[in-house]
Amino acid sequence: MSTSLDSRLGQLFILELETGKWGRGLEELLQATQPAGVLIPARHIDPRNLCDLPPRICGSLQATPFIGLCGDSAQPDPLRMSLLIASGFPYPDDIGRKGGKAAGTFGKLRGAILRLHGCNVDFSLSLDLAPAGVRTPLASTTFSSDAQIVSRCGAAYVRALREAKIYPCTNHFPGMGSVGTDPQSNCPTSVKPMAALWQEDLKPFRELLQQLPLLMVSPACYKAYDFDLLR
């Protein structure tokens, strides 16, 4: 297989690092695979060397990569690991209660911090609807259970990120707000009807689609669309 073909294949992938420190092994991996992007997980974020990592990553790749931070179940917002973030850094549901202007300010702040760290993508933007009346981990990572509020705040947030030259990558299409666990398969599953998904969960995605260069797909199953689940 030629080097040219290897490079083209690598452009189909975004790699999640297994370390937050630069080393010869990481450099060789990036040079060999030439991925389209690199994710730095929250569990590996060290504020003391984070600003040094993105330039080294870029220097190892032939094309400018997407570089962003990604959370996990224990630390859904990786920016909270940074020494630059005070403990009072607001959560999206707090922002949602304040409205679109606050969301724009929030986007400017996050965009500036990400650029300072050498990142060019924000993977934290959730257009999910929070489950109404239920306090779950998802509830604090999205703006509201109201589709109109999510749309309004999401639009302001996206505009602010793009002004900061940060690519917004939203999640989790077509929405995780109605997802529970299927007792038979133990699989994350939404039983919401197609019409309700279109009018509610999909509303923010439909309204912001033209402004979104990147989109993260939900890992759940949707009975409205997956006909195998209906058997």
Side-chain angles (χ1 to χ4, degrees), residues 45-222:
I45 291 176
D46 183 345
R48 294 170 295 182
N49 61 25
L50 179 57
C51 289
D52 181 56
L53 194 56
R56 290 180 179 272
I57 292 172
C58 290
S60 299
L61 300 176
Q62 297 170 9
T64 301
F66 297 118
I67 299 180
L69 313 178
C70 65
D72 51 38
S73 56
Q75 186 65 50
D77 185 353
L79 279 187
R80 294 181 187 279
M81 299 296 290
S82 171
L83 292 178
L84 295 174
I85 302 300
S87 59
F89 197 58
Y91 285 91
D93 57 340
D94 297 324
I95 298 297
R97 285 187 284 271
K98 295 178 181 178
K101 185 176 181 179
T105 301
F106 189 47
K108 289 179 182 178
L109 176 60
R110 290 189 69 98
I113 294 171
L114 287 168
R115 284 192 60 80
L116 182 62
H117 282 90
C119 299
N120 57 12
V121 183
D122 181 10
F123 289 95
S124 72
L125 174 59
S126 172
L127 293 182
D128 295 318
L129 304 187
V134 180
R135 190 65 182 176
T136 66
L138 177 66
S140 64
T141 62
T142 188
F143 293 115
S144 175
S145 59
D146 185 310
Q148 190 59 45
I149 293 176
V150 174
S151 297
R152 189 181 308 118
C153 290
Y157 187 85
V158 165
R159 282 196 301 270
L161 285 179
R162 299 195 68 139
E163 288 173 1
K165 304 204 182 319
I166 298 292
Y167 295 109
C169 178
T170 186
N171 51 76
H172 303 86
F173 180 85
M176 291 280 286
S178 62
V179 172
T181 301
D182 186 329
Q184 293 184 336
S185 64
N186 201 33
C187 174
T189 303
S190 170
V191 297
K192 203 168 190 177
M194 191 179 295
L197 284 170
W198 179 262
Q199 294 173 3
E200 298 167 7
D201 298 69
L202 282 167
K203 178 179 173 62
F205 293 99
R206 290 190 288 113
E207 294 191 356
L208 297 180
L209 187 60
Q210 292 185 340
Q211 305 172 46
L212 298 173
L214 298 167
L215 190 68
M216 191 180 299
V217 177
S218 164
C221 296
Y222 294 80

